[in-house]
Amino acid sequence: DIAAKPETVFRFLSDPELFKQWMGPGAMLSATEVAVHYPNGGAARGTLRESVPNERIVFGWGYDDGTHGLMPDSTTVTISLTPTANGTRVTLRHDGIDEAQAAEHKKGWLHYLGQLKAGASNIGYAEALAGAVRAYIEAWNETDFTERESILACCWDEAGIFRDSMG
């Protein structure tokens, strides 16, 4: 689950620069292809098969050198987005692999999904932060209690979640 709207999460699945933020600097996304170039020199790639804004993206997956017994574009990865009360549930499904391959890939996909979660959550907060901070400071400089309360109400969203990175 990601504390960001499906539209925000989908941007990380469809925008080439945001795609790199969660798949790494060696990642490439185009209208027809997905590729990830790893620091060890290996690469994974596949074709972009489907893209439904704010709902899902489907792409092929496999490795240039046939690592894990998977040739480029030989399997299918589907990432689905479902709205939740607090953001988005992301479901990643990797089809066309056996149990051993699934066990190996699970570690990698969990890592990448963690990166996606961090990026999408942070960008959603960052977009709202400047206005909220400005209003908060304005509120505490306001001498009229009723007006202060009104301004403070603009600083908080009913669905807001406070997360302390140290707690």
PDB file of all heavy atoms in Angstrom, residues 11-48:
ATOM      1  N   ARG A  11       2.253   7.803 -12.449  1.00  0.00           N
ATOM      2  CA  ARG A  11       3.305   8.641 -13.048  1.00  0.00           C
ATOM      3  C   ARG A  11       4.657   7.948 -12.948  1.00  0.00           C
ATOM      4  O   ARG A  11       5.476   8.042 -13.858  1.00  0.00           O
ATOM      5  CB  ARG A  11       3.349  10.012 -12.374  1.00  0.00           C
ATOM      6  CG  ARG A  11       2.178  10.895 -12.777  1.00  0.00           C
ATOM      7  CD  ARG A  11       2.090  12.206 -12.028  1.00  0.00           C
ATOM      8  NE  ARG A  11       3.346  12.906 -11.878  1.00  0.00           N
ATOM      9  CZ  ARG A  11       3.608  13.749 -10.885  1.00  0.00           C
ATOM     10  NH1 ARG A  11       2.701  14.005  -9.963  1.00  0.00           N
ATOM     11  NH2 ARG A  11       4.767  14.359 -10.806  1.00  0.00           N
ATOM     12  N   PHE A  12       4.900   7.226 -11.843  1.00  0.00           N
ATOM     13  CA  PHE A  12       6.164   6.512 -11.672  1.00  0.00           C
ATOM     14  C   PHE A  12       6.254   5.284 -12.581  1.00  0.00           C
ATOM     15  O   PHE A  12       7.344   4.779 -12.826  1.00  0.00           O
ATOM     16  CB  PHE A  12       6.350   6.099 -10.207  1.00  0.00           C
ATOM     17  CG  PHE A  12       6.830   7.223  -9.353  1.00  0.00           C
ATOM     18  CD1 PHE A  12       5.946   8.175  -8.861  1.00  0.00           C
ATOM     19  CD2 PHE A  12       8.177   7.363  -9.049  1.00  0.00           C
ATOM     20  CE1 PHE A  12       6.379   9.222  -8.089  1.00  0.00           C
ATOM     21  CE2 PHE A  12       8.623   8.416  -8.274  1.00  0.00           C
ATOM     22  CZ  PHE A  12       7.730   9.350  -7.788  1.00  0.00           C
ATOM     23  N   LEU A  13       5.130   4.815 -13.067  1.00  0.00           N
ATOM     24  CA  LEU A  13       5.106   3.678 -13.980  1.00  0.00           C
ATOM     25  C   LEU A  13       5.149   4.102 -15.438  1.00  0.00           C
ATOM     26  O   LEU A  13       5.426   3.273 -16.311  1.00  0.00           O
ATOM     27  CB  LEU A  13       3.836   2.843 -13.752  1.00  0.00           C
ATOM     28  CG  LEU A  13       3.582   2.318 -12.350  1.00  0.00           C
ATOM     29  CD1 LEU A  13       2.260   1.580 -12.301  1.00  0.00           C
ATOM     30  CD2 LEU A  13       4.724   1.443 -11.883  1.00  0.00           C
ATOM     31  N   SER A  14       4.867   5.365 -15.716  1.00  0.00           N
ATOM     32  CA  SER A  14       4.708   5.800 -17.105  1.00  0.00           C
ATOM     33  C   SER A  14       5.615   6.953 -17.531  1.00  0.00           C
ATOM     34  O   SER A  14       5.802   7.161 -18.724  1.00  0.00           O
ATOM     35  CB  SER A  14       3.248   6.194 -17.347  1.00  0.00           C
ATOM     36  OG  SER A  14       2.860   7.247 -16.468  1.00  0.00           O
ATOM     37  N   ASP A  15       6.168   7.683 -16.606  1.00  0.00           N
ATOM     38  CA  ASP A  15       7.062   8.794 -16.937  1.00  0.00           C
ATOM     39  C   ASP A  15       8.510   8.283 -16.917  1.00  0.00           C
ATOM     40  O   ASP A  15       8.959   7.772 -15.889  1.00  0.00           O
ATOM     41  CB  ASP A  15       6.877   9.916 -15.920  1.00  0.00           C
ATOM     42  CG  ASP A  15       7.806  11.080 -16.160  1.00  0.00           C
ATOM     43  OD1 ASP A  15       9.024  10.938 -15.875  1.00  0.00           O
ATOM     44  OD2 ASP A  15       7.344  12.133 -16.617  1.00  0.00           O
ATOM     45  N   PRO A  16       9.243   8.390 -18.023  1.00  0.00           N
ATOM     46  CA  PRO A  16      10.596   7.834 -18.081  1.00  0.00           C
ATOM     47  C   PRO A  16      11.533   8.307 -16.963  1.00  0.00           C
ATOM     48  O   PRO A  16      12.315   7.511 -16.441  1.00  0.00           O
ATOM     49  CB  PRO A  16      11.111   8.277 -19.455  1.00  0.00           C
ATOM     50  CG  PRO A  16       9.866   8.421 -20.279  1.00  0.00           C
ATOM     51  CD  PRO A  16       8.830   8.948 -19.321  1.00  0.00           C
ATOM     52  N   GLU A  17      11.454   9.559 -16.572  1.00  0.00           N
ATOM     53  CA  GLU A  17      12.343  10.049 -15.507  1.00  0.00           C
ATOM     54  C   GLU A  17      11.928   9.526 -14.139  1.00  0.00           C
ATOM     55  O   GLU A  17      12.777   9.156 -13.330  1.00  0.00           O
ATOM     56  CB  GLU A  17      12.401  11.581 -15.518  1.00  0.00           C
ATOM     57  CG  GLU A  17      13.150  12.148 -16.703  1.00  0.00           C
ATOM     58  CD  GLU A  17      14.561  11.574 -16.858  1.00  0.00           C
ATOM     59  OE1 GLU A  17      15.340  11.576 -15.874  1.00  0.00           O
ATOM     60  OE2 GLU A  17      14.884  11.109 -17.969  1.00  0.00           O
ATOM     61  N   LEU A  18      10.642   9.482 -13.862  1.00  0.00           N
ATOM     62  CA  LEU A  18      10.175   8.939 -12.586  1.00  0.00           C
ATOM     63  C   LEU A  18      10.369   7.424 -12.532  1.00  0.00           C
ATOM     64  O   LEU A  18      10.612   6.868 -11.460  1.00  0.00           O
ATOM     65  CB  LEU A  18       8.716   9.308 -12.342  1.00  0.00           C
ATOM     66  CG  LEU A  18       8.450  10.799 -12.110  1.00  0.00           C
ATOM     67  CD1 LEU A  18       6.956  11.073 -11.965  1.00  0.00           C
ATOM     68  CD2 LEU A  18       9.221  11.317 -10.913  1.00  0.00           C
ATOM     69  N   PHE A  19      10.303   6.758 -13.667  1.00  0.00           N
ATOM     70  CA  PHE A  19      10.559   5.317 -13.740  1.00  0.00           C
ATOM     71  C   PHE A  19      11.973   5.012 -13.230  1.00  0.00           C
ATOM     72  O   PHE A  19      12.194   4.050 -12.502  1.00  0.00           O
ATOM     73  CB  PHE A  19      10.373   4.842 -15.187  1.00  0.00           C
ATOM     74  CG  PHE A  19      10.392   3.357 -15.368  1.00  0.00           C
ATOM     75  CD1 PHE A  19       9.305   2.575 -15.017  1.00  0.00           C
ATOM     76  CD2 PHE A  19      11.504   2.734 -15.927  1.00  0.00           C
ATOM     77  CE1 PHE A  19       9.317   1.197 -15.199  1.00  0.00           C
ATOM     78  CE2 PHE A  19      11.524   1.354 -16.113  1.00  0.00           C
ATOM     79  CZ  PHE A  19      10.437   0.588 -15.753  1.00  0.00           C
ATOM     80  N   LYS A  20      12.919   5.856 -13.590  1.00  0.00           N
ATOM     81  CA  LYS A  20      14.309   5.682 -13.138  1.00  0.00           C
ATOM     82  C   LYS A  20      14.434   5.827 -11.627  1.00  0.00           C
ATOM     83  O   LYS A  20      15.325   5.237 -11.021  1.00  0.00           O
ATOM     84  CB  LYS A  20      15.216   6.718 -13.799  1.00  0.00           C
ATOM     85  CG  LYS A  20      15.479   6.482 -15.246  1.00  0.00           C
ATOM     86  CD  LYS A  20      16.385   7.566 -15.796  1.00  0.00           C
ATOM     87  CE  LYS A  20      16.592   7.394 -17.283  1.00  0.00           C
ATOM     88  NZ  LYS A  20      17.491   8.429 -17.805  1.00  0.00           N
ATOM     89  N   GLN A  21      13.571   6.627 -11.016  1.00  0.00           N
ATOM     90  CA  GLN A  21      13.669   6.846  -9.578  1.00  0.00           C
ATOM     91  C   GLN A  21      13.409   5.581  -8.777  1.00  0.00           C
ATOM     92  O   GLN A  21      13.928   5.434  -7.682  1.00  0.00           O
ATOM     93  CB  GLN A  21      12.715   7.957  -9.130  1.00  0.00           C
ATOM     94  CG  GLN A  21      13.186   9.329  -9.504  1.00  0.00           C
ATOM     95  CD  GLN A  21      12.325  10.408  -8.873  1.00  0.00           C
ATOM     96  OE1 GLN A  21      11.654  10.197  -7.874  1.00  0.00           O
ATOM     97  NE2 GLN A  21      12.345  11.579  -9.474  1.00  0.00           N
ATOM     98  N   TRP A  22      12.620   4.674  -9.307  1.00  0.00           N
ATOM     99  CA  TRP A  22      12.360   3.452  -8.539  1.00  0.00           C
ATOM    100  C   TRP A  22      13.011   2.217  -9.146  1.00  0.00           C
ATOM    101  O   TRP A  22      13.283   1.251  -8.445  1.00  0.00           O
ATOM    102  CB  TRP A  22      10.865   3.241  -8.306  1.00  0.00           C
ATOM    103  CG  TRP A  22      10.029   2.904  -9.501  1.00  0.00           C
ATOM    104  CD1 TRP A  22       9.594   3.748 -10.471  1.00  0.00           C
ATOM    105  CD2 TRP A  22       9.506   1.612  -9.833  1.00  0.00           C
ATOM    106  NE1 TRP A  22       8.849   3.077 -11.392  1.00  0.00           N
ATOM    107  CE2 TRP A  22       8.764   1.755 -11.028  1.00  0.00           C
ATOM    108  CE3 TRP A  22       9.581   0.360  -9.246  1.00  0.00           C
ATOM    109  CZ2 TRP A  22       8.112   0.703 -11.643  1.00  0.00           C
ATOM    110  CZ3 TRP A  22       8.925  -0.703  -9.862  1.00  0.00           C
ATOM    111  CH2 TRP A  22       8.197  -0.523 -11.044  1.00  0.00           C
ATOM    112  N   MET A  23      13.314   2.252 -10.445  1.00  0.00           N
ATOM    113  CA  MET A  23      13.968   1.109 -11.083  1.00  0.00           C
ATOM    114  C   MET A  23      15.477   1.312 -11.236  1.00  0.00           C
ATOM    115  O   MET A  23      16.161   0.404 -11.676  1.00  0.00           O
ATOM    116  CB  MET A  23      13.337   0.841 -12.450  1.00  0.00           C
ATOM    117  CG  MET A  23      11.936   0.261 -12.379  1.00  0.00           C
ATOM    118  SD  MET A  23      11.831  -1.372 -11.594  1.00  0.00           S
ATOM    119  CE  MET A  23      12.398  -2.421 -12.906  1.00  0.00           C
ATOM    120  N   GLY A  24      15.971   2.490 -10.890  1.00  0.00           N
ATOM    121  CA  GLY A  24      17.410   2.735 -10.931  1.00  0.00           C
ATOM    122  C   GLY A  24      17.838   3.579 -12.113  1.00  0.00           C
ATOM    123  O   GLY A  24      17.123   3.695 -13.108  1.00  0.00           O
ATOM    124  N   PRO A  25      19.023   4.181 -12.013  1.00  0.00           N
ATOM    125  CA  PRO A  25      19.486   5.099 -13.057  1.00  0.00           C
ATOM    126  C   PRO A  25      19.723   4.421 -14.401  1.00  0.00           C
ATOM    127  O   PRO A  25      19.734   5.081 -15.433  1.00  0.00           O
ATOM    128  CB  PRO A  25      20.786   5.667 -12.490  1.00  0.00           C
ATOM    129  CG  PRO A  25      21.217   4.711 -11.436  1.00  0.00           C
ATOM    130  CD  PRO A  25      19.966   4.065 -10.912  1.00  0.00           C
ATOM    131  N   GLY A  26      19.875   3.102 -14.413  1.00  0.00           N
ATOM    132  CA  GLY A  26      20.059   2.383 -15.668  1.00  0.00           C
ATOM    133  C   GLY A  26      18.755   1.946 -16.306  1.00  0.00           C
ATOM    134  O   GLY A  26      18.761   1.198 -17.283  1.00  0.00           O
ATOM    135  N   ALA A  27      17.641   2.419 -15.787  1.00  0.00           N
ATOM    136  CA  ALA A  27      16.331   2.034 -16.323  1.00  0.00           C
ATOM    137  C   ALA A  27      15.951   2.926 -17.493  1.00  0.00           C
ATOM    138  O   ALA A  27      16.330   4.093 -17.560  1.00  0.00           O
ATOM    139  CB  ALA A  27      15.269   2.115 -15.234  1.00  0.00           C
ATOM    140  N   MET A  28      15.195   2.347 -18.413  1.00  0.00           N
ATOM    141  CA  MET A  28      14.721   3.083 -19.576  1.00  0.00           C
ATOM    142  C   MET A  28      13.288   2.643 -19.864  1.00  0.00           C
ATOM    143  O   MET A  28      12.977   1.454 -19.839  1.00  0.00           O
ATOM    144  CB  MET A  28      15.622   2.763 -20.775  1.00  0.00           C
ATOM    145  CG  MET A  28      15.367   3.598 -22.020  1.00  0.00           C
ATOM    146  SD  MET A  28      13.976   3.104 -23.053  1.00  0.00           S
ATOM    147  CE  MET A  28      14.339   1.420 -23.455  1.00  0.00           C
ATOM    148  N   LEU A  29      12.448   3.625 -20.094  1.00  0.00           N
ATOM    149  CA  LEU A  29      11.049   3.363 -20.435  1.00  0.00           C
ATOM    150  C   LEU A  29      10.704   4.212 -21.649  1.00  0.00           C
ATOM    151  O   LEU A  29      10.974   5.414 -21.670  1.00  0.00           O
ATOM    152  CB  LEU A  29      10.139   3.746 -19.256  1.00  0.00           C
ATOM    153  CG  LEU A  29       8.638   3.674 -19.491  1.00  0.00           C
ATOM    154  CD1 LEU A  29       8.176   2.222 -19.633  1.00  0.00           C
ATOM    155  CD2 LEU A  29       7.887   4.349 -18.350  1.00  0.00           C
ATOM    156  N   SER A  30      10.144   3.572 -22.665  1.00  0.00           N
ATOM    157  CA  SER A  30       9.677   4.307 -23.845  1.00  0.00           C
ATOM    158  C   SER A  30       8.250   3.875 -24.133  1.00  0.00           C
ATOM    159  O   SER A  30       7.672   3.082 -23.393  1.00  0.00           O
ATOM    160  CB  SER A  30      10.584   4.022 -25.050  1.00  0.00           C
ATOM    161  OG  SER A  30      10.341   2.716 -25.551  1.00  0.00           O
ATOM    162  N   ALA A  31       7.701   4.356 -25.212  1.00  0.00           N
ATOM    163  CA  ALA A  31       6.337   3.996 -25.585  1.00  0.00           C
ATOM    164  C   ALA A  31       6.226   2.534 -26.000  1.00  0.00           C
ATOM    165  O   ALA A  31       5.127   1.982 -26.058  1.00  0.00           O
ATOM    166  CB  ALA A  31       5.859   4.894 -26.720  1.00  0.00           C
ATOM    167  N   THR A  32       7.368   1.882 -26.250  1.00  0.00           N
ATOM    168  CA  THR A  32       7.332   0.499 -26.721  1.00  0.00           C
ATOM    169  C   THR A  32       8.206  -0.458 -25.923  1.00  0.00           C
ATOM    170  O   THR A  32       8.077  -1.668 -26.071  1.00  0.00           O
ATOM    171  CB  THR A  32       7.793   0.417 -28.196  1.00  0.00           C
ATOM    172  OG1 THR A  32       9.124   0.938 -28.293  1.00  0.00           O
ATOM    173  CG2 THR A  32       6.859   1.203 -29.107  1.00  0.00           C
ATOM    174  N   GLU A  33       9.093   0.053 -25.063  1.00  0.00           N
ATOM    175  CA  GLU A  33      10.084  -0.816 -24.419  1.00  0.00           C
ATOM    176  C   GLU A  33      10.350  -0.439 -22.970  1.00  0.00           C
ATOM    177  O   GLU A  33      10.263   0.723 -22.581  1.00  0.00           O
ATOM    178  CB  GLU A  33      11.401  -0.732 -25.206  1.00  0.00           C
ATOM    179  CG  GLU A  33      12.473  -1.645 -24.700  1.00  0.00           C
ATOM    180  CD  GLU A  33      13.790  -1.492 -25.456  1.00  0.00           C
ATOM    181  OE1 GLU A  33      13.946  -0.553 -26.257  1.00  0.00           O
ATOM    182  OE2 GLU A  33      14.679  -2.318 -25.216  1.00  0.00           O
ATOM    183  N   VAL A  34      10.708  -1.463 -22.185  1.00  0.00           N
ATOM    184  CA  VAL A  34      11.175  -1.311 -20.813  1.00  0.00           C
ATOM    185  C   VAL A  34      12.541  -1.986 -20.758  1.00  0.00           C
ATOM    186  O   VAL A  34      12.707  -3.091 -21.277  1.00  0.00           O
ATOM    187  CB  VAL A  34      10.219  -2.002 -19.818  1.00  0.00           C
ATOM    188  CG1 VAL A  34      10.799  -2.009 -18.419  1.00  0.00           C
ATOM    189  CG2 VAL A  34       8.851  -1.351 -19.830  1.00  0.00           C
ATOM    190  N   ALA A  35      13.518  -1.318 -20.148  1.00  0.00           N
ATOM    191  CA  ALA A  35      14.839  -1.935 -19.982  1.00  0.00           C
ATOM    192  C   ALA A  35      15.438  -1.466 -18.667  1.00  0.00           C
ATOM    193  O   ALA A  35      15.217  -0.330 -18.242  1.00  0.00           O
ATOM    194  CB  ALA A  35      15.753  -1.574 -21.141  1.00  0.00           C
ATOM    195  N   VAL A  36      16.190  -2.356 -18.026  1.00  0.00           N
ATOM    196  CA  VAL A  36      16.925  -2.013 -16.816  1.00  0.00           C
ATOM    197  C   VAL A  36      18.343  -2.526 -16.999  1.00  0.00           C
ATOM    198  O   VAL A  36      18.553  -3.733 -17.194  1.00  0.00           O
ATOM    199  CB  VAL A  36      16.285  -2.646 -15.559  1.00  0.00           C
ATOM    200  CG1 VAL A  36      17.112  -2.320 -14.327  1.00  0.00           C
ATOM    201  CG2 VAL A  36      14.855  -2.157 -15.377  1.00  0.00           C
ATOM    202  N   HIS A  37      19.294  -1.613 -16.973  1.00  0.00           N
ATOM    203  CA  HIS A  37      20.707  -1.956 -17.084  1.00  0.00           C
ATOM    204  C   HIS A  37      21.290  -1.939 -15.678  1.00  0.00           C
ATOM    205  O   HIS A  37      21.278  -0.911 -15.006  1.00  0.00           O
ATOM    206  CB  HIS A  37      21.425  -0.961 -18.002  1.00  0.00           C
ATOM    207  CG  HIS A  37      20.883  -0.975 -19.399  1.00  0.00           C
ATOM    208  ND1 HIS A  37      21.313  -1.867 -20.351  1.00  0.00           N
ATOM    209  CD2 HIS A  37      19.904  -0.244 -19.985  1.00  0.00           C
ATOM    210  CE1 HIS A  37      20.641  -1.679 -21.470  1.00  0.00           C
ATOM    211  NE2 HIS A  37      19.773  -0.699 -21.275  1.00  0.00           N
ATOM    212  N   TYR A  38      21.784  -3.099 -15.246  1.00  0.00           N
ATOM    213  CA  TYR A  38      22.296  -3.257 -13.894  1.00  0.00           C
ATOM    214  C   TYR A  38      23.765  -2.852 -13.808  1.00  0.00           C
ATOM    215  O   TYR A  38      24.494  -2.929 -14.809  1.00  0.00           O
ATOM    216  CB  TYR A  38      22.115  -4.713 -13.435  1.00  0.00           C
ATOM    217  CG  TYR A  38      20.682  -5.149 -13.427  1.00  0.00           C
ATOM    218  CD1 TYR A  38      20.177  -5.990 -14.413  1.00  0.00           C
ATOM    219  CD2 TYR A  38      19.807  -4.699 -12.449  1.00  0.00           C
ATOM    220  CE1 TYR A  38      18.848  -6.385 -14.407  1.00  0.00           C
ATOM    221  CE2 TYR A  38      18.478  -5.088 -12.434  1.00  0.00           C
ATOM    222  CZ  TYR A  38      18.012  -5.930 -13.419  1.00  0.00           C
ATOM    223  OH  TYR A  38      16.691  -6.311 -13.411  1.00  0.00           O
ATOM    224  N   PRO A  39      24.214  -2.451 -12.611  1.00  0.00           N
ATOM    225  CA  PRO A  39      25.625  -2.046 -12.438  1.00  0.00           C
ATOM    226  C   PRO A  39      26.626  -3.148 -12.809  1.00  0.00           C
ATOM    227  O   PRO A  39      27.732  -2.851 -13.222  1.00  0.00           O
ATOM    228  CB  PRO A  39      25.716  -1.709 -10.947  1.00  0.00           C
ATOM    229  CG  PRO A  39      24.322  -1.369 -10.543  1.00  0.00           C
ATOM    230  CD  PRO A  39      23.443  -2.237 -11.400  1.00  0.00           C
ATOM    231  N   ASN A  40      26.222  -4.426 -12.709  1.00  0.00           N
ATOM    232  CA  ASN A  40      27.139  -5.524 -13.038  1.00  0.00           C
ATOM    233  C   ASN A  40      27.273  -5.757 -14.536  1.00  0.00           C
ATOM    234  O   ASN A  40      27.965  -6.666 -14.969  1.00  0.00           O
ATOM    235  CB  ASN A  40      26.690  -6.815 -12.346  1.00  0.00           C
ATOM    236  CG  ASN A  40      25.389  -7.365 -12.912  1.00  0.00           C
ATOM    237  OD1 ASN A  40      24.810  -6.819 -13.846  1.00  0.00           O
ATOM    238  ND2 ASN A  40      24.914  -8.452 -12.332  1.00  0.00           N
ATOM    239  N   GLY A  41      26.574  -4.966 -15.343  1.00  0.00           N
ATOM    240  CA  GLY A  41      26.646  -5.089 -16.792  1.00  0.00           C
ATOM    241  C   GLY A  41      25.487  -5.840 -17.413  1.00  0.00           C
ATOM    242  O   GLY A  41      25.297  -5.796 -18.620  1.00  0.00           O
ATOM    243  N   GLY A  42      24.707  -6.555 -16.616  1.00  0.00           N
ATOM    244  CA  GLY A  42      23.558  -7.274 -17.141  1.00  0.00           C
ATOM    245  C   GLY A  42      22.412  -6.327 -17.463  1.00  0.00           C
ATOM    246  O   GLY A  42      22.404  -5.158 -17.064  1.00  0.00           O
ATOM    247  N   ALA A  43      21.442  -6.833 -18.204  1.00  0.00           N
ATOM    248  CA  ALA A  43      20.283  -6.015 -18.548  1.00  0.00           C
ATOM    249  C   ALA A  43      19.037  -6.891 -18.658  1.00  0.00           C
ATOM    250  O   ALA A  43      19.106  -8.034 -19.098  1.00  0.00           O
ATOM    251  CB  ALA A  43      20.502  -5.276 -19.863  1.00  0.00           C
ATOM    252  N   ALA A  44      17.922  -6.328 -18.222  1.00  0.00           N
ATOM    253  CA  ALA A  44      16.609  -6.953 -18.394  1.00  0.00           C
ATOM    254  C   ALA A  44      15.831  -6.062 -19.347  1.00  0.00           C
ATOM    255  O   ALA A  44      15.998  -4.839 -19.336  1.00  0.00           O
ATOM    256  CB  ALA A  44      15.889  -7.059 -17.057  1.00  0.00           C
ATOM    257  N   ARG A  45      15.006  -6.701 -20.158  1.00  0.00           N
ATOM    258  CA  ARG A  45      14.215  -5.885 -21.088  1.00  0.00           C
ATOM    259  C   ARG A  45      12.976  -6.619 -21.566  1.00  0.00           C
ATOM    260  O   ARG A  45      12.887  -7.832 -21.457  1.00  0.00           O
ATOM    261  CB  ARG A  45      15.050  -5.402 -22.259  1.00  0.00           C
ATOM    262  CG  ARG A  45      15.499  -6.444 -23.224  1.00  0.00           C
ATOM    263  CD  ARG A  45      16.339  -5.888 -24.383  1.00  0.00           C
ATOM    264  NE  ARG A  45      17.646  -5.478 -23.934  1.00  0.00           N
ATOM    265  CZ  ARG A  45      18.062  -4.196 -23.858  1.00  0.00           C
ATOM    266  NH1 ARG A  45      17.286  -3.214 -24.218  1.00  0.00           N
ATOM    267  NH2 ARG A  45      19.261  -3.898 -23.442  1.00  0.00           N
ATOM    268  N   GLY A  46      12.061  -5.828 -22.077  1.00  0.00           N
ATOM    269  CA  GLY A  46      10.840  -6.381 -22.648  1.00  0.00           C
ATOM    270  C   GLY A  46      10.061  -5.285 -23.336  1.00  0.00           C
ATOM    271  O   GLY A  46      10.418  -4.105 -23.274  1.00  0.00           O
ATOM    272  N   THR A  47       8.992  -5.685 -23.985  1.00  0.00           N
ATOM    273  CA  THR A  47       8.147  -4.713 -24.670  1.00  0.00           C
ATOM    274  C   THR A  47       7.069  -4.210 -23.719  1.00  0.00           C
ATOM    275  O   THR A  47       6.627  -4.933 -22.820  1.00  0.00           O
ATOM    276  CB  THR A  47       7.466  -5.331 -25.908  1.00  0.00           C
ATOM    277  OG1 THR A  47       6.710  -6.466 -25.503  1.00  0.00           O
ATOM    278  CG2 THR A  47       8.486  -5.723 -26.955  1.00  0.00           C
ATOM    279  N   LEU A  48       6.673  -2.969 -23.912  1.00  0.00           N
ATOM    280  CA  LEU A  48       5.545  -2.405 -23.175  1.00  0.00           C
ATOM    281  C   LEU A  48       4.296  -2.919 -23.891  1.00  0.00           C
ATOM    282  O   LEU A  48       4.068  -2.618 -25.059  1.00  0.00           O
ATOM    283  CB  LEU A  48       5.595  -0.879 -23.173  1.00  0.00           C
ATOM    284  CG  LEU A  48       4.513  -0.171 -22.384  1.00  0.00           C
ATOM    285  CD1 LEU A  48       4.581  -0.569 -20.911  1.00  0.00           C
ATOM    286  CD2 LEU A  48       4.671   1.332 -22.517  1.00  0.00           C
TER     287      LEU A  48
END
